[in-house]
Amino acid sequence: MSTEPGLVLKATPPRLQKSATARPRLSLDSAELADKAVIALQAPAGFGKTQLLAQWRRDWLAQGGVVIWLALDEHDDPLRLAHGLAVAKAVGSGRRVMPQSSTSLFGKGADDLDELTSWLAEIADLGAETLLILDDAHSLPEATARHSLTYLLRNTPANLRVAMASRGRMALPMAELLAQGYFGVVGVEDLRFTLDETLALLATRFGQRLELDDCAHLHEITEGWPLGLQLTISAIERSSDLHSAIRDLAVSNGNRQNFFIDSLLSRLSQRQTDFLTRISLFEMVHPQLCIVLLADERAAAWLQELLSSTPILIEGVDSDWLRIHPLAQELLRSRFAALPEAERQLLHQRAAEWLAGHGLPEAAARQALLAGQTRQAYALAESCLYELMLRGHFSRTLDWIEQLPSHEVERRPRLRLVVAWSLALSGHRTQAVQMIEQVGSDPNASAEEQCEAAAILSTAAFSADHPDSSQQIIEPWLDKAPAFSIKLQAILANHKIRLALAAGHTERARHYCQHAPRFEWTSGMDAVRGHRDWQFGLSYFWEGQMLSAERALRASLSQADQDIGRRSGIALLMATTLANVLLERDAQTEASTVLANRLDLLARLAAPEAIVQGYVSAARLATLQGQTHRAHDLLDELFTIGETRQMPRLCISALAEQLRQHALRGHSETCQALWQRLDQLLPDFVREPRGLLGPELALYAQLGHVYACVSSHDWSGVLALLEQAAPLAERLRRGRESVQILLLQALARQRLGEDGVPALREAVSLAEEYGLLRILADTHPDLPTWAAQLQGYAPAAAVQPPAAAPGPPRKHSTVSVSPSRMLTPKEREVLQLLARNMSNKQIALALEVGEETVKWHMKNLFGKFQAGNRKHVLDRAYLLGILQP
């Protein structure tokens, strides 16, 4: 009897998609997986599990190992699993699948453990590094999983690794392997595309047609969901306006979103679709919530059924909560809005009661508000919004503020605090003062309440870029900090750090950071810790110590993105400074990625320093990419924001950067006009530097004036201005500006016929020490060439024109053969020549062997690939990944 055809198909691996994106961070050789004997991929459908398994298979074959592939299903009882493994081993190792007697294999008295033991012994006897891939492991019958699969995993020989994919957590007793560190799990969060992976995939599909901001936006609305990305690409790729097409995806009634969701819902029954519509009120759903919502005990089972049949629902980690993908939620909510009003009201009321009773006041408040229960909604909001604000969710609190009537805010003290903090942090100083003045002037207010009111007013002054007012407000309270709660002590410490930075005391600021009280609402990032971490990194950045700044900011930004959100106020602060650091380190691509799809929120959520850093770094990146028109637009926008909000810092920074860019391109007349414009708007506290802000802005203005002189080749004027700027830079501990001043002094002296080499050597040495890789090219285009003549110095790359858009992929006429143990070296050579459509005689001539020898190798290839003709050999070789273009 022949082998069951179904088993041969189950042992045949799927074709790896040509458009599949390689994911090196998830490779079997990665640090997290390299020492794992058993690896479980656990995620719903649509997260790319099978494609990742296919990638592992290809990589394993390329290293000369043996790969055994077996797709599992609900019919795999213990004996059928053993038979399937035997067939898969024969297919994967290139040996002929021997006919099996169903009586001998499945007959009375057959023992599946004996079969598995024999199979494991054969694997050990192979002597080759072997990878066993088990796809769809969730479909195994429970008895087979607990009995046979567990036995298999516990007894793997040293040369066998097992990778298995399932749609959920498998109930396997793997405590022993876990304890030994041999069992690894790759879950939903691991399988999501990172921003870099999304950018790589979109670049492959769209080339230069998509702007970086649009790519980042697409990543955010799909949340790195592999299937979601593929569906959205299909929805927008034929559009002539990709920017509008991506924005359309975020609209609940958008045609492209309809395509997206219809692709997912088309196979669901009407009952399942109705059920999804009614639970779409929430981002997260719980089985018990569904039961209460629909007043039906079957709801929990329906939820589990949907989890296994659609990727719209995502299982939580060690939790019964499930998440509804936001893209699906938008369209489902539009369907929810079409339900009868009475039914919607009832669902909202039931949801509000259950959520409030289970410690979820914000979600309960939203449902109560939708149900028309305003008093209950405002009370719930008052109980939770303060903590939400402290955790750094400023956008959510600002959204709530827009929904709260002013009379409700005024009569609820805790809501008043939330509104005041939110207005202060977003730069609305006047409104914040109006909101909080009642607390500060109340004679019955406690010292703690008065101190917090002062902290809010001080924050509002800082956000409006009035550091002297901020210092005057908060300074009387700083010495009283130990008498207050840990929360208030931590807030006051952040003010102390900010004042130290403004005065140029960077080391003192870091000391305050390291000894600040640790107030944390959660184990992750919050607003208080986030501001402290940002200021810690900012202190290094201002000193010019880019390596230390990068190390301090990178981990904090990653945690802020994860815990609070990529477009949160805390993440914005860190991202703008880190982008500047990366730009100084000449990591232009990463700097662009860090800033992508954040710039539009800066003016609303970020501090003045961050607004300047964000716009100036974006303008510099645009210039380096050859988009000078975009650079001008960004700097004009920065100037306009400063003019509208009466912030001289923003206006001076915008004009100073325009002066630098035009001077480096030799635009003398433009530079003189820009300098006249800058000089006219300088306030008195900048012309005669005083206070906390005056010296900093004076330094920016003087450097702008320097470049106006550079553009007109007034090198004596350059030296005179630099003599004034150098002490300011030193006083403020601005390391980058100090190096820039040294470089310009060296250049000016050289142009005047003096000796500029000592200053240049010192500047180059400091630049290398600080990690300022771009500073020579950014200071003046002649400096890299001059510095290159100094012994032992390799200049940073000068400003380069934008790279040409990638053309269509080149077609290769050759193929490669992976060094699989399935074939001998000579058989691989024959297979490669066969793929070039060469006859046996031509192959013999090419290899300098006899034609009979070639025929003998061809016979072996037919047997190993179970092929009937030459084309079939090639088809099987491509299918197995041994032959590759």
Side-chain angles (χ1 to χ4, degrees):
M1 289 182 66
S2 62
T3 300
E4 182 185 341
L7 291 180
V8 176
L9 291 177
K10 281 156 60 71
T12 302
R15 190 185 302 276
L16 182 62
Q17 294 178 3
K18 292 182 180 179
S19 60
T21 301
R23 310 184 73 179
R25 67 181 178 87
L26 295 178
S27 73
L28 289 173
D29 294 329
S30 65
E32 293 77 12
L33 301 178
D35 60 345
K36 307 301 181 187
V38 178
I39 303 168
L41 302 182
Q42 298 176 354
F47 274 86
K49 299 184 297 298
T50 300
Q51 283 299 302
L52 181 57
L53 290 176
Q55 175 186 316
W56 287 353
R57 176 182 173 277
R58 181 189 60 191
D59 295 344
W60 197 270
L61 286 172
Q63 296 173 17
V66 172
V67 180
I68 300 171
W69 182 289
L70 183 63
L72 305 175
D73 59 44
E74 65 277 10
H75 302 298
D76 286 324
D77 56 35
L79 283 173
R80 193 167 188 268
L81 174 63
H83 189 194
L85 287 169
V87 173
K89 174 180 170 292
V91 172
S93 62
R95 300 181 181 179
R96 183 180 295 278
V97 180
M98 299 300 294
Q100 298 286 349
S101 167
S102 59
T103 303
S104 64
L105 197 63
F106 299 104
K108 209 168 185 180
D111 188 339
D112 63 286
L113 292 188
D114 287 343
E115 297 289 344
L116 289 176
T117 302
S118 175
W119 186 86
L120 290 167
E122 291 178 6
I123 295 296
D125 189 51
L126 274 178
E129 291 296 323
T130 304
L131 175 65
L132 169 62
I133 295 178
L134 301 174
D135 200 8
D136 294 329
H138 59 275
S139 60
L140 270 184
E142 184 178 354
T144 307
R146 287 188 169 276
H147 180 64
S148 301
L149 184 56
T150 301
Y151 178 82
L152 178 72
L153 299 179
R154 281 179 170 170
N155 294 278
T156 54
N159 65 324
L160 178 65
R161 294 180 72 181
V162 182
M164 53 186 181
S166 67
R167 291 188 178 180
R169 296 189 297 270
M170 296 187 66
L172 295 173
M174 301 306 296
E176 182 180 343
L177 285 175
L178 279 169
Q180 295 172 352
Y182 293 152
F183 185 70
V185 176
V186 178
V188 167
E189 295 308 315
D190 303 302
L191 289 168
R192 290 186 192 281
F193 276 25
T194 64
L195 178 57
D196 287 338
E197 288 170 338
T198 299
L199 295 178
L201 175 63
L202 294 175
T204 301
R205 295 295 291 270
F206 296 104
Q208 301 297 313
R209 292 176 60 203
L210 269 182
E211 295 287 340
L212 187 58
D213 280 357
D214 289 328
C215 294
H217 188 201
L218 188 57
H219 174 77
E220 287 164 15
I221 61 179
T222 60
E223 298 186 329
W225 180 23
L227 177 60
L229 279 168
Q230 292 294 342
L231 289 174
T232 50
I233 286 171
S234 299
I236 68 172
E237 61 185 349
R238 291 185 176 85
S239 173
S240 58
D241 185 351
L242 292 175
H243 176 80
S244 298
I246 291 172
R247 292 303 185 270
D248 189 28
L249 283 169
V251 180
S252 61
N253 60 353
N255 292 330
R256 293 177 180 84
Q257 198 198 54
N258 288 335
F259 169 85
F260 178 93
I261 299 303
D262 288 343
S263 301
L264 299 177
L265 300 184
S266 58
R267 297 184 180 180
L268 298 182
S269 66
Q270 186 62 46
R271 176 183 61 77
Q272 289 175 318
T273 303
D274 291 344
F275 175 66
L276 269 176
T277 299
R278 283 159 179 79
I279 66 172
S280 65
L281 305 175
F282 321 99
E283 293 178 5
M284 303 283 290
V285 291
H286 190 278
Q288 291 302 314
L289 172 59
C290 294
I291 290 173
V292 170
L293 200 64
L294 300 181
D296 194 324
E297 291 292 335
R298 296 174 296 173
W302 296 342
L303 192 66
Q304 191 62 36
E305 179 184 277
L306 279 169
L307 176 63
S308 62
S309 60
T310 175
I312 291 174
L313 293 176
I314 303 168
E315 194 171 21
V317 178
D318 298 325
S319 169
D320 291 331
W321 286 89
L322 303 177
R323 190 163 181 272
I324 303 177
H325 196 281
L327 272 175
Q329 195 175 43
E330 284 294 325
L331 183 62
L332 290 168
R333 282 182 176 176
S334 69
R335 296 185 179 189
F336 178 88
L339 295 175
E341 183 178 357
E343 183 181 0
R344 297 200 312 272
Q345 292 288 322
L346 180 61
L347 291 170
H348 287 310
Q349 290 172 18
R350 289 173 176 173
E353 292 173 6
W354 190 90
L355 292 166
H358 287 78
L360 298 165
E362 190 203 357
R366 291 189 183 279
Q367 295 303 315
L369 200 61
L370 291 169
Q373 300 171 331
T374 54
R375 179 174 296 182
Q376 180 185 357
Y378 300 145
L380 287 166
E382 184 179 19
S383 72
C384 68
L385 289 186
Y386 186 82
E387 287 76 12
L388 191 70
M389 179 271 300
L390 284 178
R391 285 176 179 154
H393 297 287
F394 304 142
S395 292
R396 281 162 64 181
T397 54
L398 287 171
D399 290 343
W400 265 105
I401 288 169
E402 294 174 1
Q403 301 180 60
L404 296 171
S406 57
H407 65 273
E408 288 290 341
V409 174
E410 290 170 4
R411 74 184 190 88
R412 297 177 184 272
R414 203 164 177 81
L415 275 182
R416 195 161 60 238
L417 276 178
V418 172
V419 173
W421 270 117
S422 301
L423 291 170
L425 288 164
S426 57
H428 296 84
R429 185 184 184 190
T430 304
Q431 297 95 314
V433 170
Q434 293 172 352
M435 185 59 61
I436 207 64
E437 62 184 3
Q438 299 176 12
V439 176
S441 60
D442 185 356
N444 297 319
S446 67
E448 177 117 357
E449 290 172 331
Q450 290 180 340
C451 180
E452 184 164 6
I456 293 172
L457 294 176
S458 178
T459 299
F462 254 128
S463 297
D465 214 14
H466 296 289
D468 294 303
S469 297
S470 177
Q471 181 181 32
Q472 185 178 3
I473 293 167
I474 203 64
E475 211 163 34
W477 296 96
L478 295 180
D479 293 335
K480 303 176 184 179
F484 301 129
S485 65
I486 293 294
K487 174 202 74 177
L488 202 49
Q489 287 183 48
I491 291 173
L492 290 173
N494 278 352
H495 282 271
K496 201 172 180 179
I497 296 163
R498 182 73 75 89
L499 290 172
L501 282 176
H505 303 313
T506 50
E507 299 98 331
R508 191 183 303 173
R510 287 197 293 275
H511 175 78
Y512 293 153
C513 284
Q514 291 163 346
H515 294 85
R518 291 311 195 245
F519 167 75
E520 296 177 348
W521 283 96
T522 66
S523 58
M525 186 66 69
D526 58 38
V528 178
R529 177 188 162 189
H531 275 96
R532 183 179 68 238
D533 287 1
W534 170 58
Q535 292 177 130
F536 186 77
L538 188 63
S539 71
Y540 281 122
F541 173 74
W542 277 354
E543 288 180 351
Q545 298 192 51
M546 298 303 160
L547 294 172
S548 297
E550 181 180 357
R551 185 169 57 249
L553 290 166
R554 189 182 289 278
S556 295
L557 175 59
S558 177
Q559 190 166 11
D561 285 348
Q562 179 179 340
D563 295 344
I564 313 176
R566 193 175 183 276
R567 286 165 64 83
S568 66
I570 298 299
L572 288 175
L573 295 176
M574 297 176 183
T576 53
T577 306
L578 180 58
N580 274 269
V581 171
L582 293 169
L583 186 53
E584 297 294 343
R585 301 281 300 139
D586 206 24
Q588 299 174 36
T589 301
E590 188 177 1
S592 298
T593 302
V594 166
L595 279 180
N597 202 33
R598 302 198 208 240
L599 215 58
D600 60 306
L601 290 175
L602 278 179
R604 180 174 183 238
L605 295 177
E609 303 101 309
I611 296 174
V612 170
Q613 289 178 341
Y615 275 93
V616 170
S617 58
R620 289 182 176 180
L621 285 165
T623 300
L624 291 171
Q625 294 161 2
Q627 300 177 348
T628 54
H629 62 287
R630 173 166 166 74
H632 294 325
D633 288 346
L634 287 166
L635 293 172
D636 286 343
E637 186 177 348
L638 176 62
F639 183 91
T640 302
I641 295 171
E643 192 175 41
T644 304
R645 295 171 62 168
Q646 298 182 338
M647 289 185 179
R649 178 199 302 268
L650 276 60
C651 297
I652 293 171
S653 299
L655 292 176
E657 177 60 19
Q658 287 189 55
L659 273 162
R660 185 192 70 86
Q661 293 200 14
H662 282 291
L664 296 189
R665 291 195 291 273
H667 300 163
S668 177
E669 295 300 322
T670 302
C671 286
Q672 302 312 311
L674 283 170
W675 166 242
Q676 290 179 13
R677 185 178 170 195
L678 174 56
D679 186 47
Q680 289 171 3
L681 64 80
L682 292 179
D684 291 340
F685 72 86
V686 177
R687 292 183 184 278
E688 299 178 3
R690 61 179 185 268
L692 291 174
L693 187 58
E696 181 180 354
L697 300 191
L699 178 61
Y700 296 158
Q702 287 173 2
L703 288 174
H705 195 183
V706 165
Y707 275 107
C709 293
V710 168
S711 70
S712 59
H713 306 290
D714 179 8
W715 298 107
S716 297
V718 168
L719 280 178
L721 289 168
L722 292 175
E723 288 298 321
Q724 300 175 39
L728 275 178
E730 180 61 29
R731 171 183 163 188
L732 295 170
R733 297 301 308 275
R734 297 303 174 91
R736 184 196 181 280
E737 285 75 11
S738 293
V739 174
Q740 184 181 23
I741 288 168
L742 271 174
L743 289 169
L744 288 167
Q745 285 176 331
L747 187 64
R749 287 171 183 154
Q750 188 252 5
R751 295 296 166 88
L752 291 170
E754 302 174 12
D755 185 8
V757 171
L760 180 63
R761 286 189 181 277
E762 182 178 351
V764 167
S765 177
L766 288 171
E768 291 176 340
E769 181 180 333
Y770 290 162
L772 295 164
L773 300 184
R774 281 212 56 84
I775 192 164
L776 271 74
D778 287 343
T779 300
H780 196 279
D782 292 344
L783 285 168
T785 304
W786 185 21
Q789 299 169 5
L790 298 178
Q791 185 177 1
Y793 180 74
V799 177
Q800 297 292 332
R810 295 166 64 184
K811 295 184 178 180
H812 298 277
S813 59
T814 59
V815 294
S816 63
V817 183
S818 297
S820 170
R821 292 180 184 270
M822 178 178 175
L823 305 178
T824 66
K826 189 61 70 176
E827 287 169 352
R828 291 201 294 271
E829 292 180 12
V830 171
L831 181 62
Q832 187 167 26
L833 296 174
L834 178 63
R836 293 168 59 182
N837 202 29
M838 295 175 70
S839 67
N840 287 355
K841 186 174 182 179
Q842 290 171 323
I843 293 173
L845 289 172
L847 296 179
E848 297 182 349
V849 297
E851 193 170 344
E852 289 301 317
T853 303
V854 173
K855 290 180 180 179
W856 183 77
H857 287 310
M858 290 294 294
K859 180 180 178 182
N860 289 340
L861 288 174
F862 285 174
K864 289 184 177 183
F865 288 110
Q866 302 173 49
N869 54 49
R870 296 161 66 96
K871 183 178 182 302
H872 196 188
V873 169
L874 295 177
D875 290 343
R876 291 284 294 169
Y878 278 115
L879 179 64
L880 293 171
I882 294 173
L883 198 60
Q884 297 178 11

